[in-house]
Amino acid sequence: MDFQPTEDQRDLRAGVRDLLAGRYGREALRASVDTGAPLDRALWRELGEAGFFALRLPESEGGVGLGLPEAVLVFEEAGRALVPGPLVATHLAAGVVPGAAAGAAVVTAFDLDGPLVTHLGEADAVLGVSGLPAGEPVRSVDPLTPLYRVAAPYGDGDCSAYRDEGALLTAALQLGSALRTVELAVRYAGEREQFGQPIGAFQAVKHLCARMLVRAEVARTAVYAAAVTGDAGEVAAAKLLADEAAVRGARDCLQVHGGMGFTWEADVHLHLKRAWVRAEQWRTAAQAQELLARELLVSAAPVGPVG
Amino acid sequence: MDLTYTEEEQDFRTRLREWLAKTLPELPARPSPDDWPGRRAYDLGWQRRLYEAGYAGLHWPVDAGGRGATPTQHLIFLEETERAGAPYVGANFVGLLHAGPTIAAEGTAEQRARWLPPVLRGDEVWCQGFSEPDAGSDLASLRTRAVRDGEDYVITGSKIWTSHAEVADWCELLVRTDPAAPRHRGISWLAMPMDAPGVTVRPLRTLAGSAEFAEMFLDGVRVPVANRVGAENDGWRVTMVTLSFERGTAFVGEVVACRRTLGELARAAKANGRWDDPVLRRRLGRLHGEFGALWRLTQWNVSEAGRSAGGVPGIGGSVFKLAYSHARQELYDTAAEVLGAHSLSLEEEWTLDRLSSLSYTIAAGTSQIQRNIVAERILGLPKGR
Ligand SMILES: Cc1cc2nc3c(=O)[nH]c(=O)nc-3n(C[C@H](O)[C@H](O)[C@H](O)COP(=O)(O)OP(=O)(O)OC[C@H]3O[C@@H](n4cnc5c(N)ncnc54)[C@H](O)[C@@H]3O)c2cc1C
């Protein structure tokens, strides 16, 4: 047992971080917010070429042939960079929906409870559903996640086969966002001065930041472990803890930024709003907790897997 | 990232499991939590059995009398002993989990030979004399003095909250050897025999009603200079080694114990109908997820320490300690919800555990202090003025 990323895994993560920093850095992010264009087809295709969607497709089918641990590291980076679009659904559709693997197709999913679906207007397909249902645009809390209301009957059963993987990859996005908001808060706390010193020297601020890191680190190990074991309970725990780390992390980050945090200019609100969206996707906190509670009763000895 | 076990590790697990199944039924009845001499005898007896079976000091270096086992084997040991309901380290906590490892890391060959084998064999118990009435969180302000007189230090001062001091043979003692030096510079780390003339132990009653810790008065106590671990006035650095063991790995086994407790709690809730309350049920589910993650964080930290030189746990111990101490309190608050009014009865084991869980955010460095450490040493935020 050596529960540390291998050198290849570290390299992969660093490569994706570099790619995203160059292709979807802060200016690109703000530009898509300003133009209200959440999905950039060219970027989508570049992500496809970099193997983002085909990562877990066998090499014999034109994929990269890697596993969930690698996918999780890659999605963590996308979460840091706040890359918009139905990344998880398109990744899950690779090999199922033509064009998804290469990033030529945009695939969304009925991964929210109820009639709302994200990115329907930009999508070429909906995972597990034949044809593209019609939907009415709904004003979305997240400027980069458009929402549509679909008339009943809307499918859910059709993406249930993907629920665990969808939850895990979404958790990885949340994790990246959580770690990023820790960095943003720490950086701001070191720069902003009040009362003649950086606000980060004040314990109330310090402790907010420390709490953010603790939540993010617990979530990180949960996400990585779930990726390694693929265990449904661990996936549920990973989603639950990563949702919390992302949502509460963004809120604390906003608090550290003071009035600046409440402005459209600061990126904090983008992290918070996206984290809210993701918390509703694939597996909500209540669903995860119920699943974990059931598991407590069935497992005779609830101690980590043996062998 | 790999969470699988090698064949050798699986074998180790199987043999350990068999040994536990054979040995545990032979153990005497557990003494009551208040009976410290009884607990000492019981805990040492268990340690002796571990020693005889080759399970003592599993992860200690071989030249410190340990078995030099891999961190993974140590984790398997903790999983299996806890799963089987084996005794907790108890009175051996300080010796096995932080004084011993400190001596193994910082002591001379003679010091290791003198102090480590008796800890592993279950012959001697250690306690920790760090805190003083006016030096808790601000440990470096400690005032207990040690003045050199020939081959001895002569020690005067007092310590407080010293866990199981009453039944200890040795104390890892912090003393001020140079009052003129800056606070962190004039401290030394000594091994003090608890039966030395001038040592007085006065039990303190904890909020759980037990005499688990004590005050210690030191009045002209003579301790040989040879009992100093590390250089004179370099005790603060040695202390940091002790604390990184205390925060980094000492609680590892307890996470497993909490996971077992949680399973028992769920079954109790099912039995008394509280399970049907979705709020409580989800709280239990959440705790299950959290303790699972804390166990994984343990594996992460241990495999990280395994890659570092010397195996001294990293600063990640503070992250773990923060998350764990709060989760543990939440666990026993939830137990109280399951028990309802029965949680007011001291006859319920969970009630005693709930009381003792209150110390977790204080002992071994309060949560506030851990947050300072995380913020300043991991996140690099500026020190306050
Ligand atoms: C069950 C138990 C067993 C113990 N066993 C031992 C033992 O065996 N050996 C031993 O040496 N000690 C032992 N201790 C003592 C323990 O290490 C101290 O209690 C602890 O370090 C806190 O010190 P204090 O009690 O003096 O609290 P204080 O330092 O007085 O703190 C009081 C409050 O102020 C806060 N505070 C203090 N300084 C700061 C700061 N800079 N920033 C923010 N908040 C601050 C604290 O977080 C706390 O909330 C034990 C304690 C307990 C509860």
Side-chain angles (χ1 to χ4, degrees):
Chain A
M1 188 190 77
D2 181 15
F3 188 24
Q4 299 289 312
T6 63
E7 213 170 299
D8 284 350
Q9 287 170 336
R10 281 177 221 268
D11 288 349
L12 173 69
R13 174 162 56 187
V16 174
R17 185 174 296 193
D18 285 349
L19 170 90
L20 290 176
R23 190 53 185 81
Y24 198 73
R26 177 158 199 272
E27 279 179 16
L29 167 69
R30 296 308 307 206
S32 42
V33 173
D34 291 344
T35 57
L39 217 129
D40 172 352
R41 287 266 175 179
L43 172 62
W44 208 250
R45 202 162 283 124
E46 282 171 57
L47 290 176
E49 278 157 20
F52 212 91
F53 303 116
L55 195 74
R56 291 187 303 131
L57 212 56
E59 287 176 59
S60 58
E61 292 173 40
V64 189
L66 293 173
L68 271 177
E70 287 78 18
V72 150
L73 294 174
V74 166
F75 273 70
E76 180 185 324
E77 291 305 319
R80 288 176 64 88
L82 269 179
V83 177
L87 294 161
V88 171
T90 303
H91 176 98
L92 295 172
V96 179
V97 175
V106 173
V107 185
T108 187
F110 283 111
D111 53 15
L112 296 166
D113 270 344
L116 295 180
V117 59
T118 67
H119 294 285
L120 186 62
E122 298 82 40
D124 302 305
V126 181
L127 186 64
V129 176
S130 57
L132 208 54
E136 281 293 305
V138 173
R139 269 158 50 93
S140 169
V141 66
D142 175 8
L144 294 179
T145 308
L147 278 179
Y148 299 82
R149 185 183 290 109
V150 174
Y154 45 89
D156 162 69
D158 292 310
C159 75
S160 61
Y162 299 99
R163 191 158 296 277
D164 281 340
E165 289 182 358
L168 178 62
L169 294 172
T170 307
L173 292 169
Q174 295 283 57
L175 169 64
S177 174
L179 290 165
R180 180 74 186 131
T181 53
V182 180
E183 283 174 14
L184 291 174
V186 167
R187 196 212 290 154
Y188 192 77
E191 286 168 357
R192 170 77 171 167
E193 290 193 9
Q194 290 292 289
F195 300 98
Q197 57 181 326
I199 56 167
F202 297 114
Q203 225 175 26
V205 174
K206 234 177 231 178
H207 287 194
L208 266 181
C209 296
R211 283 167 188 268
M212 291 169 73
L213 183 74
V214 170
R215 280 193 302 262
E217 286 291 297
V218 174
R220 190 167 60 86
T221 29
V223 169
Y224 291 177
V228 172
T229 65
D231 175 79
E234 291 209 84
V235 169
K239 179 67 168 45
L240 181 67
L241 295 168
D243 283 347
E244 200 172 288
V247 171
R248 292 183 57 188
R251 294 180 74 134
D252 287 348
C253 182
L254 199 149
Q255 181 70 19
V256 169
H257 278 75
M260 186 52 73
F262 198 69
T263 67
W264 190 263
E265 267 21 86
D267 295 343
V268 189
H269 71 107
L270 300 174
H271 280 281
L272 177 59
K273 291 164 178 174
R274 190 75 55 82
W276 276 341
V277 171
R278 292 181 189 132
E280 297 296 329
Q281 287 177 309
W282 296 105
R283 208 181 274 301
T284 61
Q287 290 163 348
Q289 286 165 358
E290 289 286 1
L291 186 150
L292 285 160
R294 277 197 303 281
E295 202 183 78
L296 262 182
L297 283 186
V298 294
S299 55
V303 174
V306 178
Chain B
M1 287 188 271
D2 174 23
L3 286 165
T4 58
Y5 297 101
T6 63
E7 210 166 294
E8 202 186 335
E9 287 161 351
Q10 297 279 26
D11 271 2
F12 173 81
R13 187 189 291 277
T14 310
R15 272 180 285 120
L16 173 58
R17 223 177 244 191
E18 285 163 7
W19 180 77
L20 286 166
K22 180 169 70 69
T23 311
L24 292 180
E26 297 168 1
L27 288 186
R30 259 174 233 242
S32 90
D34 244 352
D35 171 12
W36 271 96
R39 280 174 73 175
R40 175 191 155 105
Y42 182 86
D43 294 342
L44 288 180
W46 168 241
Q47 183 60 28
R48 196 158 308 130
R49 280 173 196 260
L50 288 173
Y51 178 79
E52 280 158 9
Y55 290 119
L58 209 53
H59 62 303
W60 286 22
V62 176
D63 64 1
R67 310 263 300 170
T70 63
T72 305
Q73 280 176 328
H74 181 222
L75 289 178
I76 292 173
F77 173 80
L78 293 170
E79 261 183 3
E80 291 300 325
T81 44
E82 210 14 83
R83 186 202 299 266
Y88 177 62
V89 295
N92 291 312
F93 186 91
V94 173
L96 275 174
L97 300 180
H98 54 88
T102 302
I103 293 167
E106 297 287 333
T108 62
E110 295 80 53
Q111 290 175 333
R112 291 163 163 219
R114 167 60 191 90
W115 287 308
L116 299 181
V119 167
L120 294 181
R121 278 198 310 263
D123 287 341
E124 289 180 348
V125 166
W126 283 69
C127 64
Q128 180 189 35
F130 282 15
S131 307
E132 297 182 5
D134 293 325
S137 300
D138 187 13
L139 185 56
S141 70
L142 64 92
R143 288 207 295 252
T144 293
R145 291 268 327 255
V147 181
R148 224 164 146 154
D149 181 26
E151 290 304 295
D152 288 340
Y153 288 113
V154 180
I155 302 166
T156 310
S158 68
K159 296 285 169 178
I160 193 167
W161 307 300
T162 317
S163 299
H164 43 75
E166 270 190 291
V167 296
D169 304 292
W170 291 94
C171 177
E172 48 172 2
L173 188 75
L174 292 187
V175 292
R176 188 160 298 284
T177 32
D178 182 359
R183 298 163 6 112
H184 295 86
R185 297 280 167 70
I187 294 173
S188 298
W189 196 109
L190 305 181
M192 177 182 80
M194 290 295 285
D195 61 1
V199 178
T200 310
V201 172
R202 198 167 75 200
L204 285 169
R205 209 165 133 91
T206 72
L207 56 70
S210 68
E212 186 166 304
F213 50 29
E215 280 177 293
M216 230 169 29
F217 300 95
L218 308 172
D219 184 11
V221 180
R222 297 188 86 87
V223 172
V225 171
N227 284 21
R228 192 190 62 231
V229 173
E232 186 167 272
N233 299 327
D234 192 28
W236 187 253
R237 193 188 55 77
V238 182
T239 302
M240 290 303 111
V241 173
T242 309
L243 293 182
S244 66
F245 282 111
E246 184 174 10
R247 292 163 187 169
T249 42
F251 296 110
V252 168
E254 297 185 23
V255 180
V256 190
C258 286
R259 300 187 72 190
R260 193 172 47 124
T261 303
L262 198 54
E264 288 165 13
L265 210 53
R267 286 186 283 279
K270 185 80 185 157
N272 76 6
R274 296 286 284 127
W275 186 257
D276 298 332
D277 171 356
V279 175
L280 178 68
R281 194 172 62 232
R282 285 179 193 168
R283 215 169 142 185
L284 286 165
R286 190 198 185 288
L287 281 166
H288 181 39
E290 197 171 347
F291 276 103
L294 286 172
W295 177 243
R296 295 304 190 191
L297 183 55
T298 297
Q299 291 177 320
W300 178 275
N301 284 344
V302 167
S303 56
E304 199 170 48
R307 288 185 174 209
S308 79
V312 178
I315 191 95
S318 288
V319 170
F320 172 81
K321 203 240 173 202
L322 269 167
Y324 171 66
S325 55
H326 290 272
R328 186 178 173 106
Q329 290 174 358
E330 171 84 13
L331 169 66
Y332 287 106
D333 284 347
T334 308
E337 261 194 72
V338 172
L339 290 173
H342 296 288
S343 69
L344 302 175
S345 159
L346 280 179
E347 271 136 51
E348 294 285 349
E349 202 180 325
W350 282 335
T351 303
L352 284 172
D353 288 338
R354 184 187 195 197
L355 290 172
S356 90
S357 80
L358 298 172
S359 74
Y360 277 71
T361 47
I362 299 170
T366 69
S367 291
Q368 284 70 31
I369 295 300
Q370 305 294 347
R371 287 191 192 108
N372 287 350
I373 292 173
V374 168
E376 288 166 13
R377 310 233 312 259
I378 302 181
L379 297 177
L381 284 169
K383 274 194 177 294
R385 274 186 257 155

